[in-house]
Amino acid sequence: MNVSATMGPRSRQGAARVPRALGRNLKIALVYPSSKQSVQTLYTFNKNQRIGNKPPQSVLILATYLRQNGFPNVECLDAQLEDLTPEQTALRLADMRPDVVGITAWTDFWYPVWRTVAETRSLLPQATIVVGGPHTSIYPEETLLACDADYAVAGDGEDALLDLVRSIADGVPVGPCAGLWSCDPEGCPVPPGKAFAVVKDLTKIPPPDRTLLPYKRYTSVLTPSDYETTMVTSRGCPYKCVFCKMDVQKVYARTADQVVEEFRQIAALGIKDVQVYDDTFTWGQTRAMDICDGIIKSGIKVNWAIRDRVNRVTPELYAKLKAAGCYRVHFGVETGSPRILKDSGKFMTLDQVHHGVEIAKSVDMTIMLYFMFGFLDETIEDTRMTVELAKHLNPDYVSFGVLIPYPGTAIYKTGLARGIIPRDYWRDFALNPEPDFRIPHLIEDKLDRKTLIHLKNTATRNFYFSPHRLGRELAKVGGVRDFVSKVRLGFAILVDG
């Protein structure tokens, strides 16, 4: 049964408790939530296509940080890897019997998070429950109004969670902490003095202990190795794309030596493939070169992939990346229309797109490009330019998607201001989560939903199922597992259309 915020604040069982010192051995469970009944936004790959699982960096980093700071009794649970429902997730938590439960919330997974919190509260009434992540960073107050969590974190979670568990361990009231929302005894949300938490010194954050989850079970359809992992070496982004909800416009990074050491630890576990999830890996080109030099000098043999921007590409840097084991690059191009590209906030040109892709190809880098349909004022002619650009660039892989106007993005705010989006449906959903939520309004000022999805499906099928493309992919098959993965992806693309 859904819970409406209009019913008013509810008393938290933890809100009025007299603090009881639990000591540094208090049990902490950190959860990556179920994807069951999540938001229906995945217009490129839907959640039934089984294209792999990525190890949740947020959960692993938080757990490792707590352990480093004197809290050894931390367990992690990836409900998506285990294919759990929210109810099953709560039952697993009940078996673990933690004193503190932390759950990562993305807006796509807000309903299963809400449901997991409700079930966990019923089974573990004395546990302290805290929710953090991208969703709570946008809707911290709404999070506490909608669910039975005791705390919500807006921004980076490391210090907020550490301060919280220290207070619980010591049996003292939780003091003011940046980004940490709490509730008064009547259940009313109480904002922190500083609204958003940012860890500005990433050098103090240790590399995640990947053994806290079954790391050999994480795979991807794009990865030739048996299993892979992910890595984050920096946070923040200096750019302001209209479709991105990035709140930190400055980049904070770990040192090149720290990154090289993490690569060494990954190789020691026998992991052969790493996906680096920085928004722009080469934002600091000297640092990127130093990382490559360190990997080469250390003799670390790991294949890795990066996300980058075409206007950051240089021949020298990409030759060094290739020499260090980087074999694939993901570029967000988004559109082939100069007008739409200019209005997108990406601050790059089509000439830079062509130049960057050419350099990446020249060092034999595998290339994946991302495009979207559904920008403000986008016409059919604009979409044709996008399709033609993708054909001309001829990358190894391409992802055509429909732009989702997520909460906190400039395009969502503009859509509301212009009446293209008639109501703030994301805030309504934050307050009243519902299963399998279908987004009621995209950016449909020129092209409607049906047309946008048809464009995406047609562009995807035409790109991947041309005779030339099929022949090239079959020639690159690297074994039975690779063949099965590509067949599965192919059927997924067809079914999605």
Side-chain angles (χ1 to χ4, degrees):
M1 177 178 170
N2 206 346
V3 178
S4 172
T6 60
M7 296 171 61
R10 299 174 305 284
S11 295
R12 266 75 170 169
Q13 296 199 33
R17 285 199 300 257
V18 175
R20 177 174 63 89
L22 297 178
R24 291 302 173 105
N25 281 319
L26 82 166
K27 297 183 70 174
I28 304 165
L30 300 180
V31 183
Y32 195 64
S34 169
S35 61
K36 307 293 185 182
Q37 299 179 300
S38 58
V39 174
Q40 301 297 294
T41 63
L42 308 183
Y43 290 114
T44 300
F45 298 122
N46 70 52
K47 60 192 175 188
N48 297 317
Q49 291 175 350
R50 300 171 60 196
I51 60 171
N53 290 90
K54 307 290 186 184
Q57 284 281 313
S58 57
V59 169
L60 291 171
I61 290 171
L62 288 169
T64 307
Y65 190 64
L66 291 177
R67 287 181 168 219
Q68 175 184 268
N69 284 278
F71 292 92
N73 203 358
V74 185
E75 294 183 76
C76 297
L77 174 61
D78 184 349
Q80 293 186 26
L81 180 69
E82 303 295 341
D83 198 29
L84 302 177
T85 65
E87 293 79 9
Q88 291 169 331
T89 304
L91 287 172
R92 287 279 192 96
L93 288 169
D95 289 340
M96 295 161 69
R97 302 194 65 78
D99 302 296
V100 178
V101 176
I103 305 179
T104 297
W106 294 75
T107 298
D108 282 346
F109 307 130
W110 175 227
Y111 175 80
V113 169
W114 173 84
R115 188 68 187 167
T116 300
V117 171
E119 294 291 326
T120 302
R121 175 61 72 208
S122 175
L123 296 170
L124 297 170
Q126 296 303 309
T128 298
I129 301 176
V130 56
V131 182
H135 180 78
T136 60
S137 295
I138 299 169
Y139 294 124
E141 181 177 16
E142 290 82 356
T143 295
L144 293 180
L145 285 171
C147 79
D148 287 317
D150 299 295
Y151 299 92
V153 178
D156 294 335
E158 286 86 358
D159 291 331
L161 185 58
L162 180 59
D163 284 356
L164 174 62
V165 297
R166 278 174 172 166
S167 298
I168 295 171
D170 296 339
V172 299
V174 179
C177 179
L180 184 63
W181 285 68
S182 60
C183 294
D184 65 18
E186 286 71 43
C188 295
V190 178
K194 188 174 182 180
F196 204 81
V198 178
V199 175
K200 296 182 178 180
D201 181 12
L202 283 190
T203 64
K204 72 176 184 178
I205 306 297
D209 180 354
R210 290 170 170 83
T211 66
L212 293 173
L213 285 169
Y215 64 90
K216 292 185 179 182
R217 291 175 58 191
Y218 291 99
T219 61
S220 168
V221 71
L222 292 179
T223 300
S225 306
D226 289 335
Y227 50 94
E228 66 170 29
T229 193
T230 53
M231 179 190 291
V232 177
T233 79
S234 65
R235 298 179 188 175
C237 179
Y239 305 101
K240 294 184 179 182
C241 299
V242 297
F243 50 84
C244 180
K245 52 184 178 287
M246 177 65 68
D247 292 296
V248 181
Q249 249 58 61
K250 182 177 179 181
V251 177
Y252 301 96
R254 295 161 59 218
T255 67
D257 287 343
Q258 287 177 313
V259 176
V260 172
E261 171 59 20
E262 184 170 350
F263 269 109
R264 188 196 65 76
Q265 293 178 17
I266 288 169
L269 290 173
I271 299 172
K272 302 297 184 184
D273 206 287
V274 181
Q275 308 303 307
V276 180
Y277 273 6
D278 298 27
D279 290 280
T280 304
F281 179 75
T282 66
W283 66 269
Q285 297 207 354
T286 299
R287 173 179 172 272
M289 294 284 274
D290 289 344
I291 291 171
C292 293
D293 286 335
I295 290 172
I296 294 168
K297 182 178 180 180
S298 301
I300 299 168
K301 302 299 181 184
V302 172
N303 300 315
W304 47 295
I306 60 171
R307 274 75 182 150
D308 205 2
R309 290 175 58 91
V310 292
N311 58 342
R312 306 295 302 173
V313 178
T314 67
E316 298 77 17
L317 177 56
Y318 267 61
K320 187 61 68 74
L321 284 165
K322 185 69 175 181
C326 180
Y327 71 100
R328 188 173 75 237
V329 58
H330 297 232
F331 291 124
V333 178
E334 318 310 350
T335 178
S337 165
R339 178 178 62 86
I340 298 297
L341 186 60
K342 181 179 179 181
D343 293 342
S344 71
K346 291 192 70 70
F347 294 101
M348 65 187 196
T349 66
L350 291 179
D351 285 343
Q352 290 173 325
V353 171
H354 288 281
H355 183 67
V357 171
E358 286 175 6
I359 291 175
K361 284 185 176 182
S362 72
V363 298
D364 198 28
M365 195 81 78
T366 298
I367 299 170
M368 182 163 188
L369 303 182
Y370 295 86
F371 297 94
M372 292 190 292
F373 304 111
F375 285 91
L376 284 163
D377 303 314
E378 186 176 28
T379 65
I380 282 291
E381 182 56 34
D382 292 318
T383 68
R384 291 193 184 109
M385 293 180 190
T386 297
V387 173
E388 287 304 312
L389 178 62
K391 289 180 181 178
H392 178 78
L393 294 173
N394 193 28
D396 298 277
Y397 301 101
V398 68
S399 171
F400 292 103
V402 175
L403 190 154
I404 306 300
Y406 276 107
T409 63
I411 200 166
Y412 183 65
K413 295 173 184 176
T414 302
L416 285 169
R418 287 174 50 176
I420 299 167
I421 298 173
R423 63 182 177 86
D424 191 350
Y425 60 78
W426 280 124
R427 185 171 187 274
D428 293 343
F429 173 68
L431 289 167
N432 295 281
E434 59 186 79
D436 298 307
F437 179 71
R438 185 174 185 267
I439 295 177
H441 304 284
L442 302 173
I443 301 300
E444 300 176 68
D445 56 332
K446 301 290 185 184
L447 305 172
D448 63 19
R449 180 192 300 259
K450 182 178 179 180
T451 300
L452 292 170
I453 295 175
H454 175 73
L455 284 165
K456 184 271 300 182
N457 289 340
T458 302
T460 302
R461 285 196 301 268
N462 289 345
F463 181 88
Y464 280 107
F465 291 97
S466 68
H468 171 73
R469 175 72 49 179
L470 290 171
R472 189 169 82 172
E473 287 304 311
L474 286 173
K476 293 193 299 182
V477 169
V480 174
R481 178 186 175 277
D482 191 28
F483 177 77
V484 171
S485 295
K486 288 183 176 179
V487 168
R488 179 184 297 161
L489 179 60
F491 274 111
I493 292 168
L494 286 172
V495 170
D496 192 46

